[in-house]
Amino acid sequence: MIDTEGTQLFHQTMPFTEKLGVEVLEQRAEVVRSRLAWAQSLCTLGGVLHGGVLMSLADATGAVCAYLNLPADGQGTTTVESKTNFLRAVRSGFATATARPLHAGRTFIVVETEIRDDADRLVAKVTQTQAVR
């Protein structure tokens, strides 16, 4: 089920997510889930969803997860490191990102995001470090 308020918040705070068509499914400190639909305009040769699109989905989802895990005196976060492993292509349907905090400290928050296809196969795994501002 689409979280309409969460989707609007993503689009307002990160306008690029609206251009990609990102939809929020769930957002809370323990887990943030979002997805985007396969579209020819987001593909490379052969109808494969572009890796940069998948990384953008993971970055935005992970950023919200980090934000929801800010310490009491934190004002925001910024990505300082991101590592992506691509494991399979997305050629149709949706790419769904699920982000969970691995570490929520005073100066850094580390988030792990998995992207899966409609068959629940692991497409990519992203680990990012967010600096607390």
Side-chain angles (χ1 to χ4, degrees):
M1 178 179 226
I2 305 300
D3 176 345
T4 305
E5 286 183 29
T7 299
Q8 289 173 350
L9 185 60
F10 259 55
H11 295 174
Q12 290 169 356
T13 59
M14 299 176 284
F16 186 56
T17 62
E18 184 172 16
K19 291 188 181 298
L20 293 176
V22 174
E23 300 171 317
V24 176
L25 304 173
E26 176 181 12
Q27 58 173 338
R28 50 193 173 87
E30 299 82 16
V31 64
V32 177
R33 291 179 53 241
S34 67
R35 70 180 187 178
L36 59 78
W38 179 96
Q40 185 64 45
S41 63
L42 301 176
C43 290
T44 60
L45 292 174
V48 173
L49 204 56
H50 192 285
V53 169
L54 295 172
M55 291 173 74
S56 295
L57 174 65
D59 184 61
T61 307
V64 171
C65 184
Y67 183 82
L68 294 174
N69 283 279
L70 278 171
D73 60 345
Q75 296 178 7
T77 68
T78 187
T79 304
V80 295
E81 185 269 341
S82 184
K83 188 218 185 287
T84 304
N85 287 97
F86 295 106
L87 304 168
R88 68 176 10 94
V90 176
R91 291 186 170 87
S92 64
F94 287 91
T96 302
T98 303
R100 291 186 169 83
L102 294 178
H103 170 76
R106 289 179 294 125
T107 55
F108 291 101
I109 299 171
V110 180
V111 177
E112 184 174 74
T113 304
E114 288 187 349
I115 299 176
R116 294 185 173 271
D117 64 13
D118 284 344
D120 200 34
R121 295 177 298 197
L122 187 60
V123 170
K125 193 156 217 163
V126 180
T127 305
Q128 64 181 203
T129 304
Q130 299 267 344
V132 174
R133 296 184 292 136

